[in-house]
Amino acid sequence: MILSRYERMIARRYLLPGKGEAFIFLVASISLVAVMLGVAALVIVMSVMNGFRAELFDKIVGLNGHAVVQGVGNRLPDWREIVAQAQKTPGVTSALPLIEQPLAATYNGRAEAVLVRGMRVDDIRRNSTISNKVVMGSLQSITQGSGRIAIGSRLAESLGAQVGSEISLFSPQGQTTPFGTVPRIVSYTVGAIFEIGVYDYDKAYIIMPIEDAQTLLLMGDAAGMVELKTVDADRVGEILKPLADKIGGNAVIADWRTMNAQLFEALAVERVAMFTVLSIIILVAVFNILSSLIMLVRAKTRDIAILRTMGATRGSMMRIFIVVGTTIGALGTVAGLVLGFIFLFYRQGVVNFVQLLTGQNLWDPSIRYLTELPSKTDPAEIVVIALMALVFSFLATLYPAWKAASTDPVQVLRYE
């Protein structure tokens, strides 16, 4: 919107406090702060929601792949053939055999339910989700037949174990005797402790070479499943369809959407709900802009009448008050974006400070899966939030601007 020189001067004059206008300026300032808080709240919440989904997706997929091929009874005797077929399937980037079995672990009289995962040694070391998160020990010590394993940090804390500790694993799949099946109890040495950042994984996972897992579970040369990764997680069903046709009824393919459907659907619904609810804050701020402009128009009725008699057009009056209200909204939007980005940068410090102040644990990893408050800012969403605030601010100026433009100078000055 292009303003003439005198229109800019008057708009600037109305934006600054004048004698007897302290209340109007206060209302306008409150409107600016309300827009700032609304925009900041939307930026913070949407970035945290995006970060939560992205962190969960990266860590869940990083450990479990985009899909898994599961055999009947959790056994795949022909896993080598399935791996070969998967590697020939266009769009599949990796196919890794593994074993997963829930067992019980004990150490120094403490017992915990665990999930034993057997992987090839090279696959363990190449998996960045595990190798980049080792906090104690080394994955290099975990080799076939060494009797060494890697465990999650929360599991180590629960058992009181450290690197070098010997943990006993109980497997119900033992030898059959005349008195029934005797459970197997095998001891392993902790060679590394990792912290992935997802509470459930850090609390339960034990990683060992797949050959040791086969020996522990008496599985022979069979694997439990084959983990698959593709070039595009969102097209995993389409990419793996040819492989599913080849496998037939010998095994089934479950992708990440099936395995974690409830979690990601809940996140999507919550994300939409939070955006809708927090947008109301901006609407409230817009109504503040509307009320402050209405008061400004009433306070400046005589000035408007004089300007009209001096040749100011209705269009000029409209533009002046539209610019005044939109400027308040624009300043609030910019301030909100700055405040939101500052909060996101120091988000974990803010959480820790509030926890220290209140004595409450605001971010319990056992409830929220992740150990730290995540954040991922989507530039497209930031643009939408800023445009929404500006459009609402512009719409709020139309009625007061129209009232100002409709002022009849003859009627106003007659009764002065």
Side-chain angles (χ1 to χ4, degrees):
M1 184 179 294
I2 301 175
L3 300 182
S4 64
R5 184 176 178 182
Y6 89 90
E7 289 172 349
R8 288 196 300 270
M9 179 189 68
I10 295 171
R12 186 165 52 249
R13 171 68 182 80
Y14 286 170
L15 282 168
L16 299 175
K19 185 178 180 181
E21 300 168 356
F23 182 72
I24 297 175
F25 178 72
L26 176 62
V27 174
S29 300
I30 292 173
S31 303
L32 189 149
V33 172
V35 173
M36 176 186 72
L37 294 177
V39 170
L42 268 175
V43 169
I44 293 168
V45 171
M46 298 310 295
S47 296
V48 168
M49 293 294 294
N50 289 338
F52 197 83
R53 184 187 186 280
E55 284 289 315
L56 274 179
F57 180 81
D58 289 343
K59 290 175 179 179
I60 289 175
V61 169
L63 200 58
N64 297 319
H66 295 161
V68 293
V69 181
Q70 296 176 317
V72 179
N74 203 27
R75 285 175 180 260
L76 278 178
D78 56 345
W79 61 268
R80 288 185 176 83
E81 181 182 347
I82 292 175
V83 168
Q85 290 176 341
Q87 290 173 339
K88 296 176 183 178
T89 303
V92 176
T93 57
S94 70
L96 311 177
L98 55 88
I99 295 171
E100 277 193 356
Q101 182 68 37
L103 299 177
T106 63
Y107 176 72
N108 278 352
R110 300 182 183 181
E112 292 287 341
V114 298
L115 187 63
V116 171
R117 167 175 278 224
M119 303 172 65
R120 292 181 299 194
V121 174
D122 290 342
D123 295 337
I124 295 174
R125 295 173 183 172
R126 280 197 297 259
N127 190 312
S128 59
T129 304
I130 301 172
S131 60
N132 293 340
K133 301 297 182 179
V134 175
V135 293
M136 291 181 65
S138 172
L139 293 179
Q140 300 301 320
S141 65
I142 300 173
T143 57
Q144 178 183 351
S146 65
R148 289 183 173 269
I149 58 176
I151 67 175
S153 58
R154 302 281 176 175
L155 177 60
E157 182 180 332
S158 299
L159 293 174
Q162 299 178 348
V163 172
S165 300
E166 284 197 2
I167 293 178
S168 298
L169 296 181
F170 287 75
S171 173
Q173 297 172 344
Q175 295 180 344
T176 303
T177 69
F179 302 99
T181 302
V182 178
R184 286 171 54 81
I185 304 176
V186 183
S187 295
Y188 295 91
T189 302
V190 177
I193 297 175
F194 57 84
E195 185 170 333
I196 295 173
V198 179
Y199 181 86
D200 288 354
Y201 293 168
D202 295 335
K203 177 70 172 160
Y205 264 81
I206 290 180
I207 309 294
M208 66 171 59
I210 191 171
E211 295 83 1
D212 292 354
Q214 289 170 336
T215 302
L216 172 65
L217 301 172
L218 302 177
M219 293 181 63
D221 189 45
M225 62 187 73
V226 175
E227 173 193 287
L228 304 174
K229 289 187 178 180
T230 64
V231 293
D232 187 351
D234 293 325
R235 296 176 49 242
V236 63
E238 176 187 342
I239 293 172
L240 296 180
K241 189 176 184 305
L243 179 62
D245 295 337
K246 292 179 183 177
I247 293 175
N250 298 327
V252 295
I253 298 179
D255 60 40
W256 66 271
R257 290 172 298 190
T258 304
M259 294 184 288
N260 305 280
Q262 293 181 337
L263 174 61
F264 286 103
E265 284 178 8
L267 286 175
V269 171
E270 186 177 359
R271 185 168 171 270
V272 173
M274 292 300 292
F275 183 88
T276 304
V277 171
L278 291 174
S279 297
I280 297 175
I281 298 177
I282 297 181
L283 282 176
V284 172
V286 164
F287 281 114
N288 285 337
I289 294 176
L290 175 64
S291 61
S292 65
L293 285 181
I294 290 175
M295 286 189 290
L296 181 62
V297 170
R298 291 182 64 86
K300 297 296 183 180
T301 301
R302 186 172 182 276
D303 293 355
I304 294 170
I306 293 173
L307 288 171
R308 289 295 312 280
T309 60
M310 293 175 65
T313 63
R314 291 176 180 268
S316 294
M317 292 296 100
M318 285 280 292
R319 287 192 292 271
I320 289 170
F321 284 94
I322 286 175
V323 166
V324 170
T326 306
T327 301
I328 294 173
L331 292 175
T333 301
V334 173
L337 293 176
V338 173
L339 178 63
F341 292 143
I342 291 174
F343 183 94
L344 290 173
F345 185 79
Y346 295 105
R347 63 189 182 278
Q348 196 58 44
V350 172
V351 171
N352 294 338
F353 175 75
V354 175
Q355 289 182 158
L356 180 65
L357 201 63
T358 61
Q360 299 294 322
N361 186 2
L362 302 180
W363 192 261
D364 186 354
S366 64
I367 298 174
R368 307 185 190 278
Y369 295 98
L370 303 180
T371 55
E372 290 188 352
L373 181 67
S375 171
K376 182 181 180 182
T377 302
D378 184 350
E381 282 187 350
I382 299 301
V383 171
V384 169
I385 292 170
L387 287 178
M388 182 176 67
L390 292 175
V391 169
F392 285 171
S393 299
F394 170 77
L395 294 176
T397 65
L398 295 181
Y399 176 72
W402 175 78
K403 289 292 290 184
S406 302
T407 300
D408 186 352
V410 176
Q411 295 294 329
V412 173
L413 297 177
R414 176 184 297 176
Y415 295 103
E416 286 292 331

